[in-house]
């Protein structure tokens, strides 16, 4: 005696709908941009996707710079202070994509590109500060390339700090004796560099 079974498609419909929703959510999760943690450096990665690296006040800026890859953007908390000295390292990459280090303040609140920023915008800018002792707030490693700085403020921690160059791009010594050692493709856009009143400061930017 043969027995026949009939599928109840109406009963199975919720299972098919639920499975479809799970697959869609899994795909959307896999496509989200890569983000790097504020201090731990932990990250979830989608191959080829640029990262947005958020560094809040008290975060490890140098660690974020070291972890950044061409195309990534490091967002520094507006108004937060970061005490250097910081180094833009050489990235062994042939990519022409820039690593951008910028304020978390949106462009709509900054002066338009191509115009000079003023001290009135200081509260919107993260501060990269030299600790003195002749150290720059920011410098480049040999051969560093493709960095873009937007909406950053550079100064010293105290008005008595001794600094020769707030930003040192390249070196005027034997460490830079070959063309491959010369930093290149470096952009400073709407950055505010200054000393304290009555402070002696030799250069805002040294360019070698």
């Amino acid at each position: 005696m043969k027995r026949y079974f009939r599928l109840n498609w109406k009963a199975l419909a919720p299972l098919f709908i639920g499975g479809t929703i799970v697959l869609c959510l899994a795909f959307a999760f896999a496509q989200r941009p890569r983000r790097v943690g504020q201090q731990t450096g932990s990250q979830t990665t989608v191959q080829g996707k640029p990262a947005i690296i958020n560094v809040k006040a008290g975060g490890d800026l140098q660690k974020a710079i070291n972890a950044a890859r061409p195309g990534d953007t490091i967002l520094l908390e507006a108004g937060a202070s970061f005490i250097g000295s910081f180094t833009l390292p050489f990235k062994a990459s042939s990519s022409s994509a820039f690593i951008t280090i910028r304020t978390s303040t949106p462009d709509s609140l900054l002066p338009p590109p191509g115009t000079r920023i003023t001290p009135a915008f200081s509260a919107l800018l993260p501060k990269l500060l030299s600790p003195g002792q002749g150290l720059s707030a920011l410098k480049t490693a040999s051969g560093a390339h493709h960095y873009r700085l937007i909406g950053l403020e550079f100064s010293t921690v105290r008005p008595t700090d001794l600094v020769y160059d707030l930003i040192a791009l390249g070196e005027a010594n034997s460490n830079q004796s070959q063309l491959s050692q010369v930093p290149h493709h470096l952009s400073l856009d709407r950055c505010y560099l200054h000393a304290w009143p009555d402070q002696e400061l030799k250069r805002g930017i040294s360019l070698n």
Side-chain angles (χ1 to χ4, degrees):
M1 179 177 181
K2 296 183 178 180
R3 293 185 178 181
Y4 297 90
F5 296 90
R6 179 176 297 177
L7 291 175
N8 188 338
W9 295 105
K10 291 184 177 180
L12 292 176
L15 295 177
F16 285 105
I17 294 173
T20 302
I21 292 174
V22 170
L23 289 174
C24 290
L25 289 174
F27 178 79
F29 182 79
Q31 295 302 313
R32 75 197 192 288
R34 178 172 63 93
R35 291 186 178 271
V36 180
Q38 169 188 336
Q39 296 186 39
T40 63
S42 61
Q43 63 188 46
T44 53
T45 305
V46 176
Q47 189 66 29
K49 294 284 186 179
I52 303 296
I53 305 174
N54 290 284
V55 183
K56 302 293 185 181
D60 192 334
L61 174 54
Q62 187 63 62
K63 186 174 182 177
I65 296 173
N66 294 343
R69 301 185 300 191
D72 289 352
T73 297
I74 301 174
L75 286 180
L76 304 184
E77 182 179 354
S81 294
F82 302 91
I83 301 176
S85 180
F86 300 105
T87 300
L88 301 178
F90 169 75
K91 305 282 183 174
S93 171
S94 59
S95 174
S96 60
F98 279 80
I99 294 173
T100 300
I101 307 173
R102 61 159 298 149
T103 177
S104 62
T105 300
D107 282 332
S108 60
L109 298 180
L110 297 176
T115 59
R116 186 183 297 273
I117 203 164
T118 70
F121 291 90
S122 178
L124 302 179
L125 310 179
K127 291 95 172 72
L128 276 64
L129 304 177
S130 163
Q133 303 173 14
L135 299 174
S136 300
L138 183 72
K139 62 182 180 179
T140 52
S142 177
H145 61 92
H146 286 90
Y147 287 94
R148 179 179 287 119
L149 313 177
I150 301 175
L152 306 179
E153 182 175 344
F154 294 88
S155 189
T156 63
V157 177
R158 296 163 293 270
T160 55
D161 289 330
L162 173 64
V163 177
Y164 302 106
D165 309 307
L166 273 180
I167 300 176
L169 306 180
E171 298 183 79
N173 54 40
S174 59
N175 293 330
Q176 189 171 295
S177 58
Q178 300 180 32
L179 187 59
S180 61
Q181 298 171 324
V182 179
H184 58 93
H185 287 85
L186 306 171
S187 171
L188 281 77
D189 180 7
R190 290 162 289 172
C191 291
Y192 173 36
L193 288 69
H194 65 90
W196 293 72
D198 300 323
Q199 181 185 19
E200 293 186 6
L201 178 65
K202 191 172 183 180
R203 299 185 187 93
I205 303 175
S206 66
L207 183 61
N208 293 292

